[in-house]
Structures are given as structure tokens and as C-alpha cells.
Amino acid sequence: MPPSRDTDIGRPHYPRAVEWWRDLFAMPHWQRVQLSWEEADDADADAEQVVRALGFAAPARVLDVPCGTGRIAKRLRSAGYDVIGIDATGRFVTAARDAGVPAIRADMRTPVVRPGSFDAALCLWGSFGYFDDDGNERQARALVDALRPGGRCLIDTLVADSLLPRFVADAAWSVGGLDVAEARRYDPATERMETRWTFTSGAERAEQVTSVRLYSLDALTDLLAACGCSTFQAYDGELAPFSETSERLWLVATKG
């Protein structure tokens, strides 16, 4: 079923989610969704695009946070890159290790690697903005601190510049026999996207509310600049120059 074209943007209808990521990523329903992405036929292309965006040749050291099941990290390792992953979800860390990726179970706001020891750091699939402003800054700083001078950070996310002008409140899709519905509301006061997720499989039904800070391109570059980055390249998901018509932002920030 195609997503609704309702463009109403208003106060969230749902209670404020607190540390929702702990519940969502532990849900068997969400784990089913994420594990199913391993079968997606675009993973090789995604990994190649990461390499193009960062501009480093193997055997560059790469930190993937959060790494999930190692979908990208294992492909970078196969191409000769020295990759370490970090993720807070035990099942995903186990899957990444089983795929040959050295993975650490940790909160992505917490520095757990030696500072200045990586050529590149990744934060993919809209995994930035989960926390309050202090927590988001800590996440950004942990990424940048891991880089050597001249190292590059890649953040793949949605931003207000391109999402809000074509905001769609509802969406529905299916994966692996699981029906997923999203009901979204944007709160301009907090600049957060509040989403109620509904997972249905036969008679089973589960719900989870999420809350993600929706940065603008300028706000995100300012945050990374405060953490030590000095130059920025803004692309869309195909590595064309980012614009207000882009579906996603791929932001490459260089340290120092």
C-alpha cells in the first residue's frame, strides 16, 4: 500500500519516548526487519558507495557505529579495509562477529576506541539523533575523536531541509512476512520526529514509539564543527550534490 500523502505537521500524538532505542532494537519484530536487510541485493552497491564517499583506499582503518549486523562492515573488510564495529544490541553484535567483523558491544555515545586511530568513521541508516542534544553531541564527538587529523566522518541521515517540504505522515511496507506501519508527527518545538511503529505478523501485533532529532544541514555541520571538523561535503544518497529535493543527506566531514 503506498504511503499517505497527508502533509499535516503538528504536535506529536504520542507520549515522549525515553530511551526508546533500547526497547526497539531488542524487539524480535525489529530484529526480524534488520536481519532481513542482510538479504537485500543492494548491499554491495551501498558498500562501494561508502568507499567512494570517503575517498580512502584499503587498508584504511574504518569505525562503523552503529554497525548492526555488519552488513556494510563485512563487505568493507572483504575489500581489504581494517574495520571495527560498535553496536549496543547483543544480537546484532553476535551477527557481526559471526560475519567476521570485530565488533564491540557499547553505547555509541561512549568512546571505546583509541582516540585518533581511525581514517574514517561511519554512521549510516539514519542512526544519528536518537538522544537529547547533549547525547547527540557526545555521539558526534565520539565519532570525531576516533579519527586521526584529516580523517573523515560519514553521516547518512534525513534532514529537515529536504524532508519537511515533502513530509508524509504515514507509511506502510512489508518485509520477511512482517507488515510494518509508521505514523509520524513532527514537533517543531523540539525539532524531533515522533513515530509510532506497528508490527503485524498474522495474529501477532506489537508497537513502539521512537523520537529522533531532525537536524538541518546547517545545524549538523555546526555540531560537527564544534567537535573538531573543518571541511564538509554534502551529497545525496547517490553522491550527487545535496539539495532540497534530495531524499537523504550523506555528509562527509573532515577532521582538523
Side-chain angles (χ1 to χ4, degrees), residues 40 62-63 75 81 108 161-162 186 198 202:
V62 180
L63 183 66
R75 287 169 170 84
Y81 291 85
M108 56 189 175
D161 314 57
S162 56
Y186 177 69
T198 303

Side-chain angles (χ1 to χ4, degrees), residues 16-118:
R16 181 63 180 274
V18 177
E19 297 199 342
W20 55 264
W21 58 92
R22 300 187 190 280
D23 296 329
L24 178 70
F25 298 130
M27 290 178 70
H29 301 81
W30 180 262
Q31 292 184 0
R32 234 168 110 183
V33 170
Q34 190 152 344
L35 292 170
S36 74
W37 289 338
E38 279 300 313
E39 302 172 7
D41 58 8
D42 59 353
D44 290 340
D46 288 345
E48 290 169 5
Q49 191 153 286
V50 166
V51 170
R52 288 172 52 214
L54 291 171
F56 288 125
R61 297 201 75 208
V62 180
L63 183 66
D64 186 3
V65 190
C67 65
T69 59
R71 178 176 178 269
I72 298 299
K74 72 180 182 182
R75 287 169 170 84
L76 294 179
R77 286 184 64 82
S78 294
Y81 291 85
D82 181 6
V83 186
I84 292 177
I86 297 174
D87 204 282
T89 303
R91 185 175 182 186
F92 297 155
V93 168
T94 297
R97 290 172 178 167
D98 289 346
V101 177
I104 301 167
R105 186 175 184 183
D107 188 307
M108 56 189 175
R109 293 167 290 184
T110 304
V112 294
V113 297
R114 183 163 57 88
S117 59
F118 287 84

Side-chain angles (χ1 to χ4, degrees), residues 146-200:
L147 298 174
R148 63 166 175 80
R152 297 182 190 129
C153 172
L154 168 60
I155 295 181
D156 157 38
T157 190
L158 302 172
V159 286
D161 314 57
S162 56
L163 180 62
L164 294 184
R166 52 189 178 83
F167 179 78
V168 176
D170 302 297
W173 43 281
S174 299
V175 62
L178 184 68
D179 295 326
V180 183
E182 303 174 51
R184 313 180 187 105
R185 297 293 182 270
Y186 177 69
D187 183 352
T190 61
E191 299 179 306
R192 300 185 75 89
M193 190 66 71
E194 314 276 352
T195 304
R196 181 178 294 278
W197 298 76
T198 303
F199 304 93
T200 307

